[in-house]
Amino acid sequence: MREFEIKKKDNDTLIKSNDLYYREDQFYFGITYNLLQNRTDKISQNAFSAGFHLGFLRDIPLNKDRNVAIAIGAGYSFSNYRTNLHISEVDNDITYRIAEDFDRSKLSLHFIEVPIEFRWRTSTPKSTRFWRVYPGFKVSYLTFSRSKITGNFPSETVKNNPDFTKIRYGIYLSVGHGNITFHANYSLNPIFEKAYINGNPIELTTLNLGLMFYIL
C-alpha cells in the first residue's frame, strides 16, 4: 500500500511538472474575405472573393509563465479574386485590359507559406479559453495560378502566369478569445510583378479579413 501511494505521488508530480511546460502548438484553419487594394485604371472587384488558409505552428515560449512566445510554422493558402480584369495569352504574350460584357472573371492563387508570429495570451495549463494577440509576418511562395474569364466570347484561361509575383510578403494580426479569433493580413508587395494596362503598371495589393481557428 505504501509503495502504491509513493508511485501515485510520483505520477502526480510528473503530471504537474509536465503541465508547467505546456505549449500552444496548434493547427490552424482560416476563412477570409479578400479585398484588392491600389485599384487603378478602372479595375473593380465584384462578387465574393474568398480565401482559405491552413497549417501548423510550433510554439516556443519565452518566459516562465509561458504566456509570451514566438511561433514558426508552415502552411497552405488559396485565394480567389473576382474582378473585371481580362487576361489573355496569345503566342506566349500576355495582355491585360478592362473586361466588357463578361459573365465572370476570376483569379485563383495557391501558396505555400511560412508564418512567424509573436504571441501574447492569458492561457494556463488547464484553460483552453483565453485571450490571444498574435501579430506576425508571413512569406508566401506562389505554386500555381489560374485566371479565367467567361462571357459573350470564347472563355479564356491562363495558367501559371509568369507576371504574378512568385514570393509575397505580408504582415498580419490575429486577436480573439476562446474559439473565435479575428484575422487580418495585408500584403507588402503587389500581386503582379510586371503587368500593364495602357502602359500603366498594375500594382494591386491585398487585404484579407476573416476568422482564424486554432486546434491544439
Side-chain angles (χ1 to χ4, degrees):
M1 186 65 178
R2 178 62 176 170
E3 182 179 355
F4 173 78
E5 291 177 351
I6 293 175
K7 287 184 178 181
K8 184 177 183 304
K9 184 177 181 180
D10 290 342
N11 288 336
D12 291 342
T13 301
L14 179 60
I15 292 172
K16 291 179 180 179
S17 177
N18 289 336
D19 284 345
L20 294 176
Y21 294 97
Y22 78 97
R23 297 175 184 267
E24 292 295 336
D25 290 339
Q26 292 164 322
F27 291 94
Y28 64 87
F29 171 74
I31 303 174
T32 58
Y33 174 59
N34 302 330
L35 296 167
L36 289 172
Q37 309 294 299
N38 297 330
R39 289 178 285 175
T40 58
D41 289 304
K42 299 182 180 179
I43 295 175
S44 64
Q45 187 172 358
N46 49 74
F48 183 78
S49 299
F52 302 94
H53 317 264
L54 59 90
F56 177 78
L57 284 157
R58 173 65 169 173
D59 192 76
I60 306 172
L62 299 178
N63 63 339
K64 182 178 179 180
D65 292 334
R66 307 180 80 80
N67 60 356
V68 176
I70 60 172
I72 302 174
Y76 159 82
S77 74
F78 164 76
S79 293
N80 74 66
Y81 301 91
R82 305 292 182 90
T83 75
N84 64 341
L85 195 59
H86 190 148
I87 303 176
S88 302
E89 182 178 15
V90 179
D91 298 327
N92 295 322
D93 183 27
I94 299 175
T95 61
Y96 305 85
R97 65 180 185 272
I98 301 302
E100 298 179 359
D101 297 325
F102 71 101
D103 293 329
R104 178 179 297 181
S105 177
K106 183 172 71 171
L107 304 178
S108 299
L109 306 176
H110 300 256
F111 295 94
I112 296 297
E113 301 184 325
V114 177
I116 302 172
E117 64 187 33
F118 175 81
R119 294 179 153 193
W120 175 86
R121 63 224 176 191
T122 59
S123 62
T124 68
K126 302 297 183 181
S127 173
T128 59
R129 295 187 62 82
F130 54 86
W131 285 100
R132 59 170 63 87
V133 179
Y134 296 166
F137 175 79
K138 182 186 298 184
V139 179
S140 305
Y141 180 78
L142 181 65
T143 59
F144 180 78
S145 68
R146 181 176 181 265
S147 61
K148 183 176 181 179
I149 186 168
T150 59
N152 297 323
F153 46 79
S155 64
E156 296 183 67
T157 301
V158 179
K159 295 181 180 180
N160 291 323
N161 184 345
D163 293 343
F164 281 114
T165 303
K166 293 292 289 185
I167 300 178
R168 302 278 305 281
Y169 305 98
I171 54 175
Y172 65 88
L173 177 65
S174 297
V175 178
H177 181 269
N179 296 326
I180 303 297
T181 301
F182 296 96
H183 179 81
N185 179 86
Y186 181 75
S187 63
L188 298 176
N189 55 342
I191 290 178
F192 292 99
E193 186 173 11
K194 50 178 182 177
Y196 301 86
I197 295 180
N198 300 323
N200 299 318
I202 302 174
E203 299 179 327
L204 295 172
T205 58
T206 59
L207 173 64
N208 305 329
L209 303 173
L211 295 174
M212 192 68 66
F213 302 93
Y214 295 98
I215 305 172
L216 295 178

